Amino acid sequence: MTTPQISAITLGVRDVEASRDFYVEGLGFRLVLHLPGEIAFVQCAPGQLLALWNVTSMPSEYGDVGHGTQAPPMSLGHNVADASDVTRLHDAAVAAGATSVTSPALREWGGTSACVADPDGFRWDFVHNPNFRVGADGTVELGD
């Protein structure tokens, strides 16, 4: 039996080139494959891809999907080792075309976070959580 894991996350985007530029030039992800106007794959973690797929092509495999008037009810998170990294990532994302949703701030749960919307409205949460730890084997721990 295979251990469950997420090896790809697909975002339906309106403009593949703008999204590729945002994720590669703005956020610094490595471009793996690019089919102009159709799809771009970037590596977002060890063994994990973020697919930026033209939203008009997605119904052929995913059924009825599309952008509405509200942001998609999901966010992509990036945990960092230091609170100053939250500000650095927030500012870099905004410079690359993101819209600031919440500015970097100390939160009531004891960490620092900020949120931006990418060119298609997908939310990115940049977080410094002092209780977030990753063990040598990749196991995530939260709390004391």
Side-chain angles (χ1 to χ4, degrees):
M1 183 160 170
T2 304
T3 303
Q5 61 180 303
I6 297 172
S7 57
I9 299 167
T10 301
L11 303 179
V13 300
R14 294 176 183 101
D15 183 334
V16 173
E17 311 329 306
S19 291
R20 181 210 56 216
D21 290 348
F22 175 77
Y23 284 96
V24 174
E25 303 301 324
L27 296 186
F29 289 116
R30 183 178 71 85
L31 184 64
V32 175
L33 178 68
H34 177 223
L35 303 175
E38 184 60 27
I39 197 165
F41 293 93
V42 298
Q43 184 169 356
C44 58
Q48 190 173 68
L49 293 173
L50 184 62
L52 309 167
W53 195 9
N54 186 323
V55 70
T56 62
S57 298
M58 291 178 82
S60 67
E61 289 186 36
Y62 295 167
D64 291 334
V65 299
H67 292 276
T69 57
Q70 294 182 318
M74 66 166 286
S75 73
L76 300 165
H78 182 71
N79 285 279
V80 296
D82 188 85
S84 65
D85 291 332
V86 171
T87 300
R88 182 183 56 75
L89 287 167
H90 173 271
D91 293 350
V94 170
T99 302
S100 179
V101 176
T102 58
S103 296
L106 182 61
R107 305 296 176 190
E108 65 280 353
W109 45 266
T112 300
S113 71
C115 182
V116 300
D118 82 354
D120 285 281
F122 291 103
R123 297 322 200 235
W124 269 91
D125 193 25
F126 303 121
V127 180
H128 170 253
N129 181 338
N131 294 314
F132 179 88
R133 297 175 310 285
V134 179
D137 66 352
T139 302
V140 174
E141 300 289 337
L142 290 172
D144 296 331

